[in-house]
Amino acid sequence: MKRIINSILAAVFASALMLACTNDDVEPVGTHDKNSVTLEFDNRVGAQKMALGNTTYKNASGEEFTLTRFNYFISNVALKKADGTVVKFPDQYFLIRQSDPTSWEPELKDVPAADYSEISFTIGVDSTRSVSDISARTGVLDPTSYGDDGMYWSWNSGYIFVKMEGTSPVVPLNSAGKRAFELHIGGYGGREATAPNNLRSVTLPLNGTAMVRKDIAPTIHLVADFMKVFDGPNTIKLAETNSVHNPAVAGPIADNYMKMFVVDHVHND
Amino acid sequence: MKHFLLLGFLLLLVVGCTPTESTEPEILFRVPANFPKPLYDLEKNPITKDGFELGKALFNDPILSRDLTISCAECHSQPSGFTHHGHDLSHGIDNRKGTRNSLPVQNLAWESEFFWDGGVGDLDFVPIAPIENPVEMDEKTGNVLEKLRKSPRYPAMFKRAYGSEEITSARFLKSLSQFMLTLVSADSRYDKFVRNEGGTLTPDEAAGLTVFKQKCASCHAGELFTDRSYRNNGLTIQGDDAGRYRITENEADRNKFRVPSLRNVAVTGPYMHDGRFYTLEAVLDHYAEGVQGTPNLDSLLIKNGQRGIALSTEEKRQVIAFLKTLTDDTFLKDKRFSTP
C-alpha cells in the first residue's frame, strides 16, 4: 500500500513538474520582441528522402523516374496567431533548391513574439513582384542569379515558380539521346493581357504551436512530398506530360503540388 | 549704377556658366514636339552622360555573348535603323539562326511591350532575352556580370556612372536602357514637314501621305506609326510561330504579331516577323493582293467581303515614296550612337 501511495505521490509530483515546465519555462510574450522562424523544407518522394541523381522512384501510375532538379519559390508567408490575427511577411522570398542544402532552411525574419498556430504561403513569386522594377529584384529574385539553374523566363518575363527535371524510361528520347522530362511551372496571370495564372497558395495548421519569443526562434518543419506532383487531385503521367514550358498546360500540375506540403512538427527552441 | 549692376549680373552668369561650358552639358534625351508622352518612367532611371557611355560600351561589346563574338550591335546596327540589315532571320552565336527578324532599336521610350510577341513588358528586362537565347548570345546574364567585374575597363565605368565599382544586374540593365532610350528618331523629312521646320514633301510623297492616312494609319497610327497592338495581317502561315499566342496562350492571339513602327522603314528591311519580304513593294503587294484568311485575321483587312487593302499601282508607288520620307539620316549617322 505504501508503495502504491508513493507511486501516486511520485506521479503527482512528476505531473506538477511537467505542468510547471509547460507553463513557466516559456518566457512571456514581449510586445516589441521579435525573432526569426526557420522554415525547414524537407523534400521527400513518398516515404523516401529525396535524392537527386541515381535513385529511382515509382509513381502510382507505375512509372519509374529519377530526379535531377527540384527548385521552388516560396513567398508571401503569413502566420496566424492563436487569437486569429494574421501577421504577413510580404517582402521575404525564398528559393529552395534540392541541390543546395544551404537553401533548405530559410529564415523568416522579424516575426513578432506570439503563439502561432497556422502558416500560409504562396508557391511562386506573386504578380506584384513579377512586374516590379529591376532594382527591387535582389537576392533570390535577381534574374541574373540563377546560372544554369535558370528560374526566370527571359522571353516571357517572369519567374519559373517550380522547376522539376529528371529522367524516366517512359519518356521519349530527346535530341540529346536522353529520356528526360522537364516540368517548368510559371505564369503569374499577365502584365496587361490576361494570361494563365499558376500562383497557388497553401494554408497549413502548424501541428503544434510556434512560440516566438525574445529567446525562442522556432523551426517549422515542413515536408514536401514530390510524389503528390503525379498523384494529387490530378493524375499526371510522365508518358503524356514530360515537357512543360508554358503556363497554360501547367495548371493541373500546380493544383497537385499545392497539396504536397504538410507541417510535420514545430520545434520551439 | 544700374549699368554696374547689370554688368555684375552678367559677370555672375558668365562665371556660373564657365565650369560647365568645357564639358558642354549635352541633352541626351528629349521628347520631340510631335511625339506623345514617353511610356518609360525616366524618373526611375535618369539618363546621365556616364550611364549613357556605359550603356553604349555594353551595347557594342561582344563580352555579352558566351564566346565573345556577338554584341547587341551585331543584330542592331545603326545604318540599318539598328536592325540586322539583309538578314531575314538574325544570326547569332556559332552562326545559329533565330526564328524572327530583328526589330529596330529606336524610340523605345514610347514602347511598353517588346519583341514581336510583347513577351517582355519593361525595357530594363529586354537585354536578358538575347543574352540568354541559345541562338543569339547563348550566355547567362550572371556570367556576363562576372566577366564585367573582372574586365580592366568596366569597374571604372560603373564607378563613373553609379558612384561605386559595384556591378549589379540593375546597374547593368539600366545603363543599357539609358543608351537605348537615347536612340530617338524624330528628324526625318516627314518630321520637319509636320513640325513646320522647313521640310517639304514632293507631290508624290504628299499624295502617298494621303493614301497612307486613309488605308494604313489605323494600325500604323500616330507619330510613332504604330498603335502598339498585335494583329494577324494575313500572312501565309510559314513555320509554327504562333506570335502573341506564345505569351498569352489565348486562342484569339494566335498568328498575331506586334504592329511595328514605320520610322526608318526604308532601311530596316526585310519585313515582317520572319523577314519574308525583301522590299516595300512586296509588302504593299501583300496587303493589296496576298492577304490570307487565316484564323484571327484582322477585321480591318476585310472590307465588303474582300480581303486586303485596295491599292492601285499608282497608290502603292505614292505610299512607298511617302514611307521613304520617314528615313532619318541625322539619326542613322549620329556619331554619338556610333560603334566606337
Side-chain angles (χ1 to χ4, degrees), chain A residues 130-192:
Chain A
S130 291
V131 300
S132 71
D133 191 78
I134 181 67
S135 55
R137 317 284 191 101
T138 53
V140 298
L141 294 179
D142 184 342
T144 71
S145 68
Y146 311 120
D148 289 333
D149 212 9
M151 293 297 285
Y152 181 79
W153 277 320
S154 61
W155 55 274
N156 183 6
S157 290
Y159 294 92
I160 297 174
F161 304 155
V162 180
K163 194 167 202 176
M164 302 171 275
E165 296 175 352
T167 61
S168 172
V170 303
V171 175
L173 281 173
N174 66 15
S175 56
K178 287 187 175 160
R179 297 185 184 279
F181 65 87
E182 292 187 345
L183 308 175
H184 298 179
I185 319 301
Y188 59 86
R191 181 181 284 264
E192 302 283 341

Side-chain angles (χ1 to χ4, degrees), chain B residues 30-334:
Chain B
R30 61 158 67 91
V31 178
N34 53 326
F35 276 32
K37 193 172 164 279
L39 298 175
Y40 186 90
D41 181 3
L42 287 144
E43 277 178 22
K44 70 174 189 177
N45 187 16
I47 299 172
T48 64
K49 179 80 176 131
D50 290 321
F52 163 86
E53 291 295 348
L54 173 58
K56 179 179 165 181
L58 293 168
F59 191 85
N60 285 285
D61 198 332
I63 198 170
L64 270 59
S65 66
R66 189 197 71 220
D67 64 356
L68 315 175
T69 58
I70 307 281
S71 68
C72 306
E74 180 81 15
C75 293
H76 299 283
S77 83
Q78 188 183 10
S80 309
F82 293 93
T83 62
H84 204 185
H85 182 68
H87 289 270
D88 47 358
L89 305 174
S90 294
H91 290 247
I93 207 160
D94 299 334
N95 214 23
R96 292 175 195 164
K97 243 181 167 181
T99 52
R100 291 180 185 163
N101 182 244
S102 79
L103 278 160
V105 178
Q106 62 182 7
N107 302 334
L108 296 187
W110 290 270
E111 298 278 355
S112 60
E113 291 176 350
F114 301 87
F115 300 109
W116 283 103
D117 56 22
V120 178
D122 181 338
L123 179 62
D124 296 342
F125 291 80
V126 164
I128 305 174
I131 289 169
E132 305 214 337
N133 190 322
V135 300
E136 295 183 47
M137 290 157 141
D138 195 30
E139 180 58 292
K140 302 293 173 212
T141 313
N143 202 34
V144 172
L145 298 187
E146 275 308 306
K147 287 190 279 186
L148 296 177
R149 286 171 190 135
K150 288 180 195 143
S151 87
R153 83 190 268 227
Y154 284 105
M157 292 186 81
F158 275 82
K159 186 170 184 184
R160 275 201 294 281
Y162 296 104
S164 80
E165 292 191 351
E166 195 191 356
I167 297 179
T168 63
S169 51
R171 289 177 169 190
F172 167 71
L173 293 166
K174 289 203 165 184
S175 55
L176 276 166
S177 288
Q178 286 189 36
F179 173 67
M180 292 191 282
L181 287 164
T182 60
L183 302 178
V184 176
S185 178
D187 280 317
S188 65
R189 194 147 50 80
Y190 163 81
D191 290 295
K192 288 174 182 155
F193 166 74
V194 293
R195 293 199 301 254
N196 294 316
E197 292 172 359
T200 53
L201 301 187
T202 66
D204 262 352
E205 291 161 355
L209 173 57
T210 304
V211 178
F212 182 87
K213 282 188 171 162
Q214 287 167 358
K215 304 193 174 182
C216 313
S218 42
C219 303
H220 295 286
E223 293 300 286
L224 276 310
F225 292 88
T226 170
D227 67 351
R228 308 188 189 102
S229 64
Y230 303 86
R231 296 172 186 268
N232 171 8
N233 64 349
L235 297 172
T236 54
I237 308 285
Q238 298 175 359
D240 55 6
D241 192 340
R244 179 69 173 157
Y245 172 83
R246 187 167 179 245
I247 303 305
T248 63
E249 298 191 272
N250 176 353
E251 273 306 325
D253 286 330
R254 192 176 283 282
N255 306 322
K256 289 185 182 176
F257 293 88
R258 197 161 174 86
V259 174
S261 169
L262 298 179
R263 290 186 163 273
N264 294 304
V265 71
V267 299
T268 56
Y271 307 106
M272 305 297 156
H273 66 275
D274 53 6
R276 68 176 67 190
F277 297 134
Y278 298 117
T279 62
L280 290 171
E281 285 79 5
V283 172
L284 291 194
D285 286 347
H286 161 74
Y287 284 116
E289 292 125 37
V291 171
Q292 307 294 307
T294 53
N296 301 321
L297 175 65
D298 202 90
S299 59
L300 291 170
L301 289 171
I302 311 171
K303 279 234 168 71
N304 307 321
Q306 289 278 24
R307 288 200 298 267
I309 302 168
L311 281 165
S312 69
T313 308
E314 179 71 352
E315 287 174 324
K316 287 187 217 166
R317 195 179 57 76
Q318 291 167 336
V319 168
I320 290 169
F322 163 68
L323 291 176
K324 287 180 178 169
T325 71
L326 295 173
T327 303
D328 178 356
D329 284 318
T330 312
F331 172 69
L332 300 175
K333 291 178 181 152
D334 193 328

Side-chain angles (χ1 to χ4, degrees), chain A residues 34-45:
Chain A
K34 286 187 173 183
N35 213 324
S36 62
V37 170
T38 298
L39 305 177
E40 181 182 355
F41 288 93
D42 179 0
N43 297 324
R44 300 180 185 174
V45 187

Side-chain angles (χ1 to χ4, degrees), chain A residues 22-38:
Chain A
T22 45
N23 286 338
D24 298 346
D25 270 12
V26 176
E27 39 172 315
V29 173
T31 325
H32 300 293
D33 292 344
K34 286 187 173 183
N35 213 324
S36 62
V37 170
T38 298

Side-chain angles (χ1 to χ4, degrees), chain A residues 108-123:
Chain A
L108 189 65
K109 300 218 165 47
D110 298 322
V111 181
D115 289 346
Y116 295 99
S117 58
E118 188 180 277
I119 185 171
S120 60
F121 54 83
T122 297
I123 308 165

